[in-house]
Amino acid sequence: MIEYTTLALLVDELWLKGKNRGSYFRALKENIELTLKAWHKKKYRLVIEAQRFLIRSETPFSDETMKAIARMPGLQELIPVREIPLDYDRLLEPILEELDSHDGEEFTFKVETLRSFKKYPKNSMEISRHMGHLILQARPKLKVNVRNPQVQVNIRVLPEHFYISTRSIKSPGGLPVGTNGHLITMLSGGFDSPVASYLMSKRGCTQTFVFFYAYPFVGEEVKDKIIELAKVLATYQSGCKLWIVPFGKVQKKIAKTCRETYRTIFFRKYMVDCSNLLCERLEADALLTGDSLGQVSSQTIGNISLVDQTSRYPILRPLIGFNKKETIALSQKVGTHDISVIPHDDACSMFAPKFPVIRPKNDYWHEYIEENDFTEDLNAALDQAEVFRIGVNGMLTSCEISE
Ligand code: ATP
Ligand code: MG
């Protein structure tokens, strides 16, 4: 494997932002630097050149570092590049080294040249053709395929250097985290909420995770599962916090006082109420859940509508129109699939009614919530929360609620 000391980072969607472009670049730069500090503990230089970031270091970047940087929302792709002095006779050798580092000996390729330095005496077409010819002479098993090559050799001509690249790592695209407000993400152990979190990281939202922990009605494993999920999701944020809020007492109270068929929907409503209180405490902007319309009884349009009517903050539901299979497929890409798939205790299903209400009655709903103000219990639960800080490299540390 070739060792790379220069990385080019292409930026996504920034053309949309007109006058705000400067602040988007600054946010992205900050996020990249946090990731670099966590992963590449060596000296580096980060510059913006022709609307893209270039990172140079004397020490090669590890695979892990490259993958971690490539996960930054706002980036389109990360390209490890070779910087060669602008000497045409020295161009072929590093290209052959690059090609030799790909698997197999018989793949197809194409050479694509971009002459940013217009005064260079050879034009792009001449360089591409000539290099293609020299490559075929040196590696007769390779074949050219201009439409759909297995490997594309990119040559960029700049005033002092040739840049060569033959591989790239795709990034999530979208907007840099930190440019679009702060969400309270309601994280449960399934497939949905982690994917919802990823989608909103991609739209630039900073997130604080909250998990309502039904201890002692569920085992401790579920807490570990949530922590593992949050560690993965933190890699798309520049670090984040996770609140684990003890919720067993409140759930018990609800289960005792409401009609059995309404249990699940009231559990959800009071989780949303508690998330509203946290949103207020942290001066966040909105809540985020993994709801998808009609997936389970608590996510019918009637139930969603009633829950929304009692939430003071907007509830974002990016998966509302997703099919379960689509969510599971995306969870593979996000990296949360193998954690979500592990079975866990779920207090909602332990207390679950045989016939959960699908079309809740407005009168009963309002009557119950008027008679059962749990604000004090919810605030007490928040005061007893365990709060963790998770670094962009997944490092977990405890912290104070007030921090
Ligand atoms: P998930 O949606 O996490 O994949 P699920 O489908 O079992 O799992 P539901 O019970 O349908 O989750 O809940 C819908 C949404 O409500 C979740 O996506 C999550 O945002 C939120 N939620 C449910 N239970 C909890 C909990 N214990 N703590 C925090 N949020 C929760
Ligand atoms: Mg769900």
Side-chain angles (χ1 to χ4, degrees):
M1 195 60 196
I2 297 175
E3 295 194 316
Y4 294 97
T5 53
T6 306
L7 306 177
L9 308 179
L10 309 194
V11 171
D12 192 33
E13 280 202 25
L14 294 184
W15 67 88
L16 292 176
K17 295 297 153 202
K19 272 193 252 148
N20 293 332
R21 188 169 302 156
S23 62
Y24 279 72
F25 264 97
R26 272 194 298 282
L28 195 44
K29 186 164 179 247
E30 227 170 79
N31 295 345
I32 295 166
E33 291 198 311
L34 274 170
T35 309
L36 273 168
K37 280 200 186 100
W39 286 95
H40 185 77
K41 296 186 167 52
K42 304 284 176 357
K43 265 206 199 147
Y44 65 86
R45 261 171 54 81
L46 175 65
V47 293
I48 298 174
E49 193 188 274
Q51 302 280 349
R52 45 185 213 162
F53 288 94
L54 277 176
I55 315 173
R56 297 190 181 91
S57 175
E58 280 169 21
T59 329
F61 294 101
S62 67
D63 256 15
E64 289 74 25
T65 303
M66 290 195 274
K67 281 185 191 149
I69 298 170
R71 287 167 89 105
M72 288 288 109
L75 292 179
Q76 187 184 315
E77 60 185 315
L78 176 149
I79 307 173
V81 297
R82 309 272 301 262
E83 256 177 301
I84 314 292
L86 201 64
D87 175 353
Y88 197 72
D89 293 336
R90 290 169 68 180
L91 189 52
L92 179 64
E93 196 190 308
I95 291 179
L96 292 177
E97 273 172 29
E98 279 282 327
L99 287 168
D100 291 343
S101 73
H102 286 265
D103 289 341
E105 292 182 341
E106 301 196 4
F107 51 83
T108 57
F109 76 97
K110 166 192 179 179
V111 181
E112 183 80 42
T113 306
L114 180 68
R115 188 178 54 153
S116 304
F117 174 46
K118 296 290 176 214
K119 290 191 183 141
Y120 191 73
K122 288 187 182 3
N123 71 29
S124 321
M125 196 66 124
E126 276 176 77
I127 299 174
S128 298
R129 275 218 197 107
H130 188 222
M131 280 300 141
H133 175 72
L134 295 179
I135 292 168
L136 286 174
Q137 270 185 345
R139 300 287 182 272
K141 286 187 179 164
L142 299 185
K143 285 201 182 77
V144 173
N145 180 340
V146 282
R147 284 251 170 97
N148 191 18
Q150 284 166 295
V151 176
Q152 180 162 318
V153 178
N154 294 296
I155 302 172
R156 187 153 177 185
V157 187
L158 287 164
E160 286 167 20
H161 292 104
F162 290 116
Y163 281 136
I164 303 167
S165 62
T166 60
R167 40 172 63 88
S168 74
I169 310 176
K170 288 266 169 284
S171 295
L175 304 171
V177 168
T179 60
N180 238 347
H182 179 186
L183 306 179
I184 303 298
T185 300
M186 296 172 63
L187 187 64
S188 53
F191 287 104
D192 304 298
S193 43
V195 172
S197 162
Y198 165 80
L199 289 174
M200 297 320 289
S201 292
K202 227 154 53 64
R203 299 316 299 159
C205 304
T206 306
Q207 295 170 42
T208 296
F209 297 102
V210 60
F211 171 60
F212 297 102
Y213 182 33
Y215 190 78
F217 306 108
V218 295
E220 294 221 15
E221 324 77 64
V222 59
K223 193 169 113 178
D224 298 334
K225 186 176 177 183
I226 294 293
I227 290 175
E228 289 311 307
L229 285 171
K231 280 184 186 174
V232 175
L233 298 171
T235 64
Y236 298 101
Q237 298 273 315
S238 297
C240 58
K241 283 191 184 166
L242 165 65
W243 285 59
I244 298 191
V245 179
F247 212 64
K249 260 197 214 158
V250 176
Q251 272 178 308
K252 201 169 161 191
K253 245 182 171 171
I254 300 169
K256 261 192 179 164
T257 48
C258 79
R259 286 184 196 159
E260 196 190 322
T261 51
Y262 279 71
R263 272 183 196 164
T264 317
I265 182 64
F266 279 128
F267 288 162
R268 192 71 72 249
K269 181 240 173 329
Y270 287 102
M271 282 181 195
V272 166
D273 279 7
C274 197
S275 303
N276 269 274
L277 294 171
L278 185 58
C279 202
E280 206 164 61
R281 284 192 191 195
L282 303 182
E283 296 179 11
D285 302 290
L287 315 184
L288 169 62
T289 75
D291 293 321
S292 137
L293 192 61
Q295 188 188 82
V296 288
S297 65
S298 57
Q299 295 168 31
T300 59
I301 193 71
N303 282 329
I304 284 182
S305 168
L306 280 181
V307 169
D308 273 23
Q309 286 173 47
T310 56
S311 176
R312 280 169 291 131
Y313 288 91
I315 305 177
L316 306 188
R317 297 182 171 92
L319 300 184
I320 198 74
F322 272 51
N323 303 334
K324 193 75 187 186
K325 276 189 188 149
E326 291 169 324
T327 304
I328 293 178
L330 191 48
S331 76
Q332 297 266 16
K333 196 178 136 200
V334 175
T336 48
H337 175 277
D338 292 358
I339 308 169
S340 293
V341 82
I342 302 167
H344 67 270
D345 294 341
D346 178 359
C348 291
S349 53
M350 270 171 52
F351 288 108
K354 263 205 201 98
F355 301 105
V357 64
I358 287 168
R359 277 183 221 94
K361 298 249 178 319
N362 257 314
D363 293 354
Y364 176 64
W365 169 271
H366 289 294
E367 194 182 298
Y368 182 83
I369 57 180
E370 251 159 57
E371 279 171 17
N372 293 279
D373 179 7
F374 291 136
T375 311
E376 226 171 86
D377 304 75
L378 300 177
N379 267 317
L382 284 178
D383 291 337
Q384 288 159 19
E386 258 186 290
V387 185
F388 296 101
R389 189 191 300 279
I390 307 174
V392 67
N393 55 354
M395 262 257 298
L396 188 79
T397 41
S398 294
C399 61
E400 295 297 320
I401 288 180
S402 54
E403 265 181 64

